[in-house]
Amino acid sequence: MQASHQNKQFINGTWITAVDGGELPLVNPATEEILGHISFGNEKDAALAIDAAEAAFKTWSKTTPYYRAEILKKAANYLRDNLETIAHDMVLESGKPLLEARGEWTVAANLFEWYAEEGKRAYGRVIPTSRIDKRSSVILQPMGIIGIITAWNFPAYNPARAWAAALAAGCTVVAKPSENTPLSAYHLMEALIHAGLPPGVLNLLIADAAPGGEAMLNDKRLKKISFTGSARVGKILMDGASRTHTKLSLELGGNAPVVIFDDVDVDAIAKAASIARFRNNGQVCVAPQRFYVHKNIYDQFAERLSGYVSQLKVGSGFEEGVNVGPLITARQRDSVFDLLTKSKTERAEVLTGGNRPEHLEKGYFMQPAVVGNLDQSSSLARNEIFGPVLPLFSFDDLDDALAKANDTEYGLAAYAFTDNLKTAIKVSEGLEFGIVGINEWAPHGTELPFGGWKYSGQGHESGSEGLYEYMEKKLISIGIG
Ligand code: NAD
């Protein structure tokens, strides 16, 4: 694979430097070394990208889904063919373990392939008539130019699910990935270039977030912004969109409860929890966060879990057997340490971890922590932690568990573990979240709708719902009288 991006932006079919010549250092979170400098744009680059997407929409929106599918499938194969190189770069910029990076790129490739096929199934509807002199149908059409802003925690998966769906739907795109993880975005772009994507159809804008985002919001040619990121920035976009009427899809933060009833295999769940909670260092929007454990098994669970968590290996994502890499930035690490420190002033008890690992001098590392003696008012219950801390709580019965689990402004994912069918049904129906996993830790997939309730967002990505986010419905009523 030949790297052609040279850390630039890709606008209207060409790699270009930012209009004002801005640059940003890219830091390896495991070593704190500067990996290089990336070209870093602003609202001027955003305007160029929107111009290009506008011109390209005229032809791309008229292509067949079969034509678009061929390009998406070639891009998927390019990612698969170059898996080792692109996984290596993802580890460099994000710090995640190589195994997780490989898995994420495989899912990104699958998303391109899945939407290639799903685009062919954007069926409309013929509606049986109530009037003999009319015929009515609904067709789906590409929405227009879409701005896609994504977070760093899944540098390939977050962009891929939105890019693939928008392109399959016949939209053109201005894509602004996170400035923390541009290397993966360059690789996604190169896959599409290699696959023959025409100029201007997807434009890669690596730009200063606030002016770039503002330029996208203020330009009426952009029909929607698909945003994956924090609830804080989601709110900024909602406020802005109320002025400009830009449509929004919002995939925001989470604070997922995990309800563990007393009829489960305690050791097996504790072991699995020690892996699930610390995947990607807890920097996962659907990360299992608040663990509610039935009072009968609380002590046993806490002991087993702490044992497993203390054995997790922290280090560089390239190191064999490492479970937990660094946090993405010094700021992110400090915010997790701050939450933990605050919880201690609230009488929390650290059962294991929570320090800087002694064997690692550089890098934004933290020893995975388990924390007990908490109640609902604790900072670790109220905030999205987005780091390697696992807070434990106890509950009395199903009603108590549901009341505590639902006691959050977030509503993305929730989990429950029980061997009792009645309990499983009642808890799955009672949880106020968009995604519920019963007796499993990964309730998501290319073909499954992914979206949050309450503060966690609006709309869906992935699955057929993800495609329809980028299509407008049109009712056509034909008078034949
Ligand atoms: P963030 O909101 O700080 O940044 C996300 C993206 O928005 C980045 O590309 C950033 O550059 C951009 N951005 C920042 N300020 C902006 C502004 N004023 N206008 C427009 N764009 C702006 O979030 P983050 O720290 O990168 O990511 C972590 C958050 O993302 C967590 O809350 C996590 O739960 C959430 N997340 C949600 C999902 C989901 O599917 N629900 C998936 C991944 C991450």
Side-chain angles (χ1 to χ4, degrees):
M1 183 180 59
Q2 193 99 45
S4 57
H5 59 77
Q6 296 171 332
N7 297 354
K8 295 181 178 178
Q9 329 237 358
F10 190 76
I11 295 177
N12 205 17
T14 315
W15 291 104
I16 58 166
T17 46
V19 175
D20 285 341
E23 285 200 342
L24 195 72
L26 180 63
V27 177
N28 179 338
T31 61
E32 301 179 40
E33 284 163 2
I34 293 181
L35 292 165
H37 287 80
I38 56 169
S39 186
F40 197 52
N42 56 29
E43 68 281 3
K44 294 179 190 164
D45 305 84
L48 286 182
I50 298 170
D51 290 346
E54 183 187 30
F57 185 72
K58 294 185 180 77
T59 44
W60 182 251
S61 59
K62 301 286 187 305
T63 58
T64 67
Y66 286 79
Y67 171 82
R68 301 194 288 267
E70 286 314 304
I71 293 176
L72 289 171
K73 282 193 273 189
K74 274 190 201 151
N77 286 335
Y78 176 94
L79 297 177
R80 290 173 184 136
D81 291 345
N82 293 286
L83 190 72
E84 283 311 308
T85 313
I86 61 185
H88 178 272
D89 279 358
M90 186 186 281
V91 176
L92 279 181
E93 65 181 356
S94 74
K96 66 179 65 184
L98 187 57
L99 212 61
E100 290 187 23
R102 286 196 190 112
E104 184 179 339
W105 275 116
T106 301
V107 175
N110 293 347
L111 279 160
F112 277 107
E113 183 173 285
W114 196 82
Y115 275 114
E117 291 305 320
E118 193 64 6
K120 299 172 185 172
R121 286 180 267 282
Y123 302 122
R125 214 152 46 108
V126 175
I127 299 170
T129 182
S130 63
R131 292 264 308 255
I132 198 70
D133 57 346
K134 286 189 187 189
R135 296 292 180 272
S136 307
S137 57
V138 173
I139 62 167
L140 297 170
Q141 291 186 305
M143 193 173 268
I145 307 172
I146 310 292
I148 298 179
I149 302 176
T150 43
W152 46 264
N153 63 331
F154 289 106
Y157 166 80
N158 290 338
R161 65 182 180 174
W163 294 15
L167 293 176
C171 296
T172 57
V173 174
V174 175
K176 198 212 84 58
S178 168
E179 57 278 20
N180 293 326
T181 51
L183 300 182
S184 297
Y186 296 143
H187 289 313
L188 282 172
M189 190 71 248
E190 280 177 335
L192 287 165
I193 296 168
H194 171 84
L197 192 77
V201 173
L202 190 139
N203 303 277
L204 184 64
L205 173 74
I206 313 279
D208 198 357
E214 192 65 17
M216 284 165 136
L217 258 184
N218 286 338
D219 196 316
K220 292 209 180 318
R221 291 174 296 170
L222 227 95
K223 294 296 177 281
K224 178 174 232 186
I225 293 182
S226 156
F227 174 76
T228 303
S230 62
R232 181 187 68 80
V233 176
K235 170 119 181 40
I236 294 175
L237 293 175
M238 285 177 97
D239 289 345
S242 71
R243 276 187 278 114
T244 59
H245 290 266
T246 311
K247 289 186 174 166
L248 296 174
S249 286
L250 299 173
E251 295 291 345
L252 308 178
N255 181 356
V258 183
V259 181
I260 302 173
F261 291 90
D262 63 354
D263 55 12
V264 299
D265 177 340
V266 174
D267 187 64
I269 303 289
K271 189 172 185 183
S274 74
I275 300 299
R277 169 64 188 138
F278 300 99
R279 182 170 72 98
N280 201 21
N281 218 347
Q283 302 169 120
V284 179
C285 55
V286 292
Q289 175 170 310
R290 291 173 291 137
F291 279 69
Y292 294 100
V293 184
H294 193 278
K295 61 183 181 191
N296 293 347
I297 57 167
Y298 179 91
D299 290 339
Q300 188 193 0
F301 185 83
E303 188 209 320
R304 296 287 170 89
L305 177 73
S306 302
Y308 286 121
V309 171
S310 65
Q311 287 165 28
L312 293 175
K313 189 169 169 191
V314 183
S316 156
F318 291 115
E319 214 180 303
E320 194 67 28
V322 154
N323 304 98
V324 181
L327 288 138
I328 187 75
T329 55
R331 202 176 73 159
Q332 185 67 19
R333 176 200 58 196
D334 294 346
S335 85
V336 182
F337 270 112
D338 287 350
L339 264 182
L340 188 60
T341 307
K342 187 151 186 243
S343 78
K344 288 183 202 161
T345 67
E346 297 161 343
R347 288 182 293 117
E349 184 190 349
V350 178
L351 304 177
T352 187
N355 302 313
R356 271 198 63 97
E358 282 168 11
H359 66 292
L360 296 161
E361 274 179 26
K362 290 266 180 191
Y364 311 130
F365 293 98
M366 179 181 195
Q367 199 69 40
V370 178
V371 182
N373 201 28
L374 297 165
D375 63 32
Q376 288 297 103
S377 65
S378 159
S379 305
L380 292 175
R382 311 261 34 115
N383 296 285
E384 181 185 39
I385 301 172
F386 230 58
V389 178
L390 188 160
L392 282 172
F393 311 79
S394 71
F395 70 90
D396 298 335
D397 55 24
L398 176 69
D399 287 344
D400 185 35
L402 282 175
K404 286 174 172 164
N406 290 333
D407 179 21
T408 171
E409 57 198 10
Y410 290 103
L412 187 54
Y415 305 81
F417 291 84
T418 174
D419 281 350
N420 183 305
L421 181 61
K422 288 182 192 169
T423 308
I425 291 173
K426 285 180 187 165
V427 75
S428 62
E429 291 178 356
L431 287 164
E432 295 164 359
F433 296 80
I435 302 168
V436 174
I438 302 291
N439 295 335
E440 74 128 325
W441 298 99
H444 38 79
T446 50
E447 72 284 12
L448 304 176
F450 188 111
W453 291 10
K454 302 196 282 187
Y455 272 37
S456 291
Q458 57 191 43
H460 287 88
E461 300 283 358
S462 78
S464 50
E465 284 85 348
L467 182 74
Y468 303 141
E469 290 288 338
Y470 302 109
M471 306 197 87
E472 290 281 21
K473 290 193 184 76
K474 182 183 282 174
L475 166 70
I476 301 178
S477 180
I478 303 176
I480 57 167

